[in-house]
Amino acid sequence: MRVRIGAALGVLAILSACGGGGGGGGSVTGGSPAPTPAPTATPTPTPTTTAGCSLRERQDWALAQLREWYLFPETLPANPNPAAFSNVDDYIDSLTATARAQRKDRYFTYLTSIKEENAYNSSGATAGFGTRFALDQTGRRLFVVESFEGAPALAAGIDRGTEILQIGTSTGTLRSVSAIVDAEGTAGLNTALGPDTPGTARAFQFRTIDGTTTTATVTKTDFALLPVSTRYGAKVLTDGSKKVGYINLRTFINSAETPLKDAFASFRAQGINEFIIDFRYNGGGLIRIADLMGDLLGGGKSTSQVFSYTSFRPEKAAENDVKYFAPIAQSVTPTKIAFIGTGRTASASELVINAFVPYLGNNMALIGTNTYGKPVGQIAQDRAACDDRFRIVALAVQNSARSAAYYDGLAATVPNTCQASDDISYPLGDNREQSVARALDFLAGRTCSRISASTGSSAQRETVRFDERTLLQPARPNTAQREVPGLF
């Protein structure tokens, strides 16, 4: 078995949701129910010629794993009918429907590819243009909120704040974004952007933040998504005479370890003790990296102090685990931390934020909008012959105070909050960007408006200030899209 949240079961994970989760799909955020996912152009493989991999065999295997490990076994149907479903994904969704109706499992339990997930978790390997897309409040304008280093979109001049005006398979077939949405809804944009396979080319007419309009053809390629940007992922901000350490962590994957350690070593050497941790788009990932983040921020903590508790259902209590702080050479000792979050901040990100509530109290704040709300994690059961990895909600996570009461997000749990929009007029990590500015305000003791726990944010929406609920996402996202919401 592979898991992603501690040592007892291998590689544990606390991931974003499938469809409507932390990386969510369409307009789903926070506590909102997720839409029923539709089939995609790249469904879970069904190699029926391989022994043990017929549809029925895979369905029966999935049910058996749920009955053994699911955190909410009482919600499973007593007599499911696999024959009513033509694929494994829809069958799994039917098995978890009751838990979903109770808002315990919002498509957090899903089937994925072993090969695809391993490649992503190791190095961020994926294929695409290398951007995050988001619709504005009208639902008819498409913006880029982030572009990734080493990927084709950034090389073509498409970066944060760029508006995509038209999309086509060639310059001769360009269609306006609004026309596509009017005719086919947001699903039409997913179709227009094409499959996430290397070599897929699309023509774009786009307008950059300086008002320049350009037409270019961009071809999807394989690239390694950097969890910490080389441009703005780790930097020192100045606010008056004070230095503040800023970290923007895109995703919790193994390749984040070295850049995180390097960044905190630099902060420590400079004597920095106030920090902004930017999780605004972070949909989750490996709990091993969440534990590392806790240790890096846990200077001064003893090895007897609890970072988090991991709990399985009663009959699996032998798998329960306690993670204690384990400071390392690069660890810092924060006096204040401002965490930036949105409705796409989920899972491992929320675990880290929640873990510091008992220790920092009023010296920490959530900046931006309310987070997604996912105090549970998945294990992974593999059926290697079929390339099936079944991510099953099997565990709950709590902080040292045994608190995990954030199914509705962390805005009501974190002692201080400051409402702010995600202002794509400015780069990430820029003092002028609204969320960063409000984070600096909190650290300096300046006043701010509290986040509404129910709605996430009531900040005025402007042309280039999108609401985080509109990050574009396929109905059934791939591994990278689950953990890097909005990725194409």
Side-chain angles (χ1 to χ4, degrees):
M1 178 196 319
R2 294 175 59 80
V3 226
R4 291 212 220 175
I5 212 170
L9 293 169
V11 185
L12 283 158
I14 187 161
L15 299 163
S16 62
C18 173
S27 62
V28 182
T29 60
S32 303
T36 301
T40 71
T42 55
T44 304
T46 310
T48 54
T49 57
T50 301
C53 294
S54 69
L55 172 60
R56 182 56 184 268
E57 286 170 316
R58 294 169 71 219
Q59 289 174 323
D60 290 347
W61 173 77
L63 176 60
Q65 303 312 309
L66 284 173
R67 284 181 168 157
E68 181 175 1
W69 290 103
Y70 199 44
L71 188 60
F72 316 110
E74 71 284 356
T75 66
L76 297 173
N79 297 295
N81 179 20
F85 301 91
S86 60
N87 60 72
V88 187
D89 297 306
D90 290 344
Y91 180 57
I92 290 170
D93 288 346
S94 75
L95 298 175
T96 59
T98 298
R100 190 162 55 254
Q102 297 173 3
R103 300 182 59 257
K104 295 176 178 177
D105 185 346
R106 288 168 277 170
Y107 296 104
F108 303 149
T109 298
Y110 57 85
L111 199 67
T112 189
S113 158
I114 299 170
K115 180 179 179 181
E116 179 185 280
E117 189 178 276
N118 285 351
Y120 176 76
N121 287 336
S122 173
S123 64
T126 188
F129 302 122
T131 61
R132 293 187 203 258
F133 287 124
L135 290 160
D136 78 336
Q137 72 274 17
T138 70
R140 300 173 70 250
R141 297 178 68 187
L142 186 66
F143 288 89
V144 173
V145 299
E146 187 173 21
S147 285
F148 304 114
E149 300 79 11
L154 187 58
I158 298 173
D159 202 355
R160 180 173 169 88
T162 296
E163 181 175 5
I164 304 298
L165 304 172
Q166 298 189 69
I167 306 170
T169 54
S170 67
T171 55
T173 62
L174 287 168
R175 300 170 62 202
S176 71
V177 168
S178 59
I180 294 170
V181 172
D182 289 345
E184 305 165 47
T186 56
L189 292 176
N190 287 291
T191 301
L193 292 168
D196 288 323
T197 53
T200 298
R202 289 295 183 268
F204 294 103
Q205 184 188 75
F206 58 92
R207 183 169 53 235
T208 55
I209 200 71
D210 64 3
T212 302
T213 299
T214 305
T215 299
T217 297
V218 185
T219 302
K220 294 183 179 183
T221 62
D222 290 317
F223 68 96
L225 189 149
L226 300 179
V228 180
S229 169
T230 53
R231 295 182 291 159
Y232 48 77
K235 58 192 299 188
V236 176
L237 307 180
T238 56
D239 185 22
S241 61
K242 182 171 60 179
K243 290 183 176 180
V244 174
Y246 173 86
I247 287 283
N248 183 303
L249 183 63
R250 292 164 166 165
T251 181
F252 290 79
I253 56 177
N254 285 320
S255 55
E257 180 173 355
T258 296
L260 285 176
K261 286 181 176 179
D262 289 347
F264 280 96
S266 176
F267 296 152
R268 178 175 174 136
Q270 296 179 70
I272 294 172
N273 57 18
E274 294 189 13
F275 299 91
I276 298 172
I277 309 298
D278 196 338
F279 287 151
R280 74 182 69 195
Y281 306 133
N282 193 315
L286 298 172
I287 290 184
R288 187 183 79 81
I289 301 301
D291 291 345
L292 171 65
M293 194 74 169
D295 292 337
L296 288 168
L297 289 167
K301 298 288 188 298
S302 76
T303 55
S304 64
Q305 289 179 288
V306 172
F307 176 69
S308 66
Y309 293 100
T310 300
S311 303
F312 289 72
R313 69 196 216 190
E315 60 268 36
K316 294 291 185 181
E319 307 291 353
N320 292 354
D321 186 41
V322 182
K323 167 64 175 81
Y324 295 94
F325 282 96
I328 56 179
Q330 300 88 348
S331 296
V332 296
T333 305
T335 56
K336 282 187 173 183
I337 303 178
F339 291 96
I340 297 177
T342 68
R344 299 305 181 181
T345 301
S347 305
S349 301
E350 292 176 302
L351 183 157
V352 173
I353 299 170
N354 189 51
F356 281 94
V357 171
Y359 295 106
L360 285 174
N362 282 322
N363 289 318
M364 68 177 289
L366 174 66
I367 314 296
T369 65
N370 197 8
T371 63
Y372 181 72
K374 183 175 180 287
V376 293
Q378 294 99 318
I379 63 168
Q381 291 288 66
D382 288 356
R383 194 174 178 86
C386 315
D387 191 38
D388 282 346
R389 173 162 291 165
F390 192 14
R391 282 285 174 194
I392 305 166
V393 169
L395 54 99
V397 291
Q398 301 169 320
N399 63 20
S400 62
R402 291 285 189 181
S403 174
Y406 55 90
Y407 268 112
D408 294 319
L410 286 166
T413 299
V414 176
N416 300 293
T417 67
C418 291
Q419 179 179 284
S421 66
D422 180 19
D423 188 351
I424 63 174
S425 301
Y426 296 104
L428 291 163
D430 190 300
N431 289 38
R432 299 166 295 175
E433 192 276 319
Q434 282 215 10
S435 291
V436 174
R438 296 294 80 74
L440 291 171
D441 285 344
F442 166 74
L443 295 176
R446 297 186 287 266
T447 60
C448 63
S449 299
R450 286 192 62 86
I451 293 171
S452 166
S454 59
T455 61
S457 175
S458 59
Q460 181 180 359
R461 300 174 186 173
E462 298 178 13
T463 300
V464 292
R465 291 179 182 162
F466 74 98
D467 186 289
E468 80 279 356
R469 293 178 180 83
T470 60
L471 283 175
L472 192 64
Q473 190 96 331
R476 288 200 184 276
N478 61 33
T479 294
Q481 289 169 326
R482 284 191 181 95
E483 299 185 41
V484 184
L487 176 65
F488 282 86

